[in-house]
Amino acid sequence: MTDLQPDYPIRNVTDWDAVNDEPMGTKPKYWLRPPVDERWLFKKKHRPNSDDDWSEKIAAELAGLLGIPHATVDLARRHGNRGILSRDLVAECKAEELIHGNSLLVEADPDYPAGDIYRVAHHTIERIFSAFSARSVGLPLGTDFAPEIVEARDLFVGYLLFDAWIGNTDRHHENWAILKYAGDRYALSPSYDHASSLGHNVQDDERAERLMTRDRYRQIAAYAAKAKSAIYRDRDDRKPVSTDEAFTLACVPCRAAGVYWLDRLRRIADDDATDIVRRVPQEIMSDVAKRFVSQILQANRTRLLTLTL
Ligand SMILES: Nc1ncnc2c1ncn2[C@@H]1O[C@H](COP(=O)(O)OP(=O)(O)OP(=O)(O)O)[C@@H](O)[C@H]1O
Ligand SMILES: [Mg+2]
């Protein structure tokens, strides 16, 4: 491990101008413009019992460790409220527009339930990958990828392994997107909205109990293994697949990419992930929450590394 890094700063953005609301997504948020620089989306901490500010910050840093293109996230406070800032990735990528998954999927099938968010069994790997093919979606511009990562679906496999590592249960069809560039060129968007992960909505007393218990069904490995994705195996299924299975299903047509991403995960030291967690200031994240999150990451990584593709 490298030298001990300081805590992540919490930026006070009370005096940034609010430039417009963000209509997508379910939680309160609006775009702010700093005195210089692009706009940043301010996402206010959602509910008293949901730590979706530190989960989103930690997830963004972990994405960086794994090599997943991602929105830049900072912890923030505005008018005394906890939240995060997510830097406008359309501007950062010099793209023209973000097109959400549901808009792409409904192009291929007019019956696709684009207006629903949850329990959308039409949201399958097969449809997602065909939507990439239909628009010849490539890789984000300006980033170098390994030879195994050739097209959008190879990178999406990495997003799904990332989701399984952090326990992100919210990869629904508005939480992935493509970017449109000038000249009708398209690329998979960097990943964003990872707040629903890392046991963000478990309370500290339950975290402490799960850290201590000898009942293996209550232990963190058991909790972590239960994460469900927002992706289905088949449109007739009633339940989504697990985050692990979303990854393995995507690996069927993209085995080389799956092997590559698993190898990236293998090469991450648990200590490096724990160090990212440690850097969240104590004022917004307790020691118990830090131990709980570090153990989720270790448990998920250990389990994922036993997968054979
Ligand atoms: N960094 C970013 N750059 C550009 N657009 C973004 C960024 N982050 C979020 N968005 C846009 O804002 C929308 C809502 O943001 P986000 O998904 O983070 O919110 P949410 O309320 O947590 O969503 P959900 O209902 O999925 O939980 C996204 O669907 C996307 O269109
Ligand atoms: Mg969202």
Side-chain angles (χ1 to χ4, degrees):
M1 236 180 30
T2 47
D3 292 343
L4 212 59
Q5 299 285 311
D7 284 1
Y8 295 116
I10 301 180
R11 299 173 70 173
N12 186 341
V13 292
T14 303
D15 59 0
W16 290 13
D17 289 338
V19 286
N20 54 282
D21 280 341
E22 170 53 63
M24 302 296 289
T26 48
K27 306 185 191 94
K29 70 190 82 59
Y30 43 85
W31 290 95
L32 300 177
R33 195 177 297 284
V36 285
D37 198 8
E38 311 295 352
R39 22 173 235 175
W40 292 67
L41 185 65
F42 180 68
K43 297 177 67 176
K44 191 156 140 305
K45 182 168 134 28
H46 182 39
R47 285 187 297 252
N49 292 338
S50 164
D51 293 312
D52 50 15
D53 52 353
W54 55 246
S55 62
E56 186 137 21
K57 171 63 178 171
I58 293 170
E61 300 301 317
L62 293 170
L65 264 192
L66 191 60
I68 298 295
H70 62 94
T72 303
V73 171
D74 279 340
L75 297 168
R77 231 176 242 287
R78 183 167 166 85
H79 303 300
N81 295 308
R82 276 169 60 177
I84 60 102
L85 291 167
S86 185
R87 188 172 183 208
D88 185 352
L89 53 80
V90 181
E92 202 170 352
C93 295
K94 300 188 171 37
E96 288 179 345
E97 188 189 347
L98 189 79
I99 304 173
H100 292 97
N102 52 352
S103 305
L104 278 186
L105 293 164
V106 76
E107 274 175 12
D109 173 5
D111 292 332
Y112 185 84
D116 299 341
I117 292 285
Y118 296 106
R119 288 182 283 281
V120 180
H122 291 60
H123 191 226
T124 61
I125 295 292
E126 198 184 339
R127 282 171 188 251
I128 296 169
F129 284 1
S130 351
F132 292 159
S133 302
R135 289 235 197 168
S136 305
V137 179
L139 298 170
L141 305 183
T143 311
D144 287 334
F145 293 96
E148 293 85 347
I149 308 307
V150 178
E151 47 182 316
R153 61 186 195 167
D154 300 325
L155 181 55
F156 198 76
V157 168
Y159 291 9
L160 297 178
L161 181 65
F162 172 61
D163 289 345
W165 182 32
I166 66 167
N168 178 17
T169 55
D170 209 25
R171 184 72 65 183
H172 60 66
H173 57 200
E174 285 178 359
N175 280 342
W176 60 269
I178 63 170
L179 290 172
K180 178 180 182 298
Y181 291 90
D184 283 346
R185 285 182 307 151
Y186 301 96
L188 183 62
S189 166
S191 191
Y192 57 87
D193 193 6
H194 311 123
S196 295
S197 63
L198 299 169
H200 70 104
N201 52 0
V202 176
Q203 303 309 294
D204 270 2
D205 49 359
E206 182 181 335
R207 290 179 180 130
E209 184 257 318
R210 287 187 182 273
L211 281 161
M212 299 275 292
T213 184
R214 303 174 79 145
D215 173 356
R216 66 188 179 90
Y217 297 105
R218 295 285 301 161
Q219 285 173 348
I220 288 166
Y223 168 84
K226 280 197 283 217
K228 288 272 179 264
S229 77
I231 290 175
Y232 288 70
R233 177 196 284 275
D234 184 275
R235 61 176 277 186
D236 296 324
D237 284 354
R238 292 166 60 87
K239 290 198 173 146
V241 294
S242 68
T243 50
D244 291 17
E245 196 178 351
F247 168 68
T248 53
L249 284 173
C251 289
V252 173
C254 303
R255 187 173 175 278
V259 170
Y260 167 79
W261 288 114
L262 272 180
D263 191 52
R264 289 283 311 231
L265 183 64
R266 187 171 292 111
R267 286 190 277 124
I268 293 173
D270 281 335
D271 279 355
D272 288 341
T274 299
D275 201 51
I276 284 174
V277 178
R278 180 195 58 75
R279 294 181 66 193
V280 175
Q282 175 84 41
E283 65 181 282
I284 63 163
M285 188 176 189
S286 68
D287 282 341
V288 165
K290 289 184 182 185
R291 276 190 284 131
F292 183 76
V293 166
S294 297
Q295 289 203 19
I296 289 179
L297 290 167
Q298 285 174 31
N300 283 339
R301 178 169 171 277
T302 304
R303 192 189 63 252
L304 288 163
L305 293 181
T306 65
L307 290 175
T308 40
L309 301 180

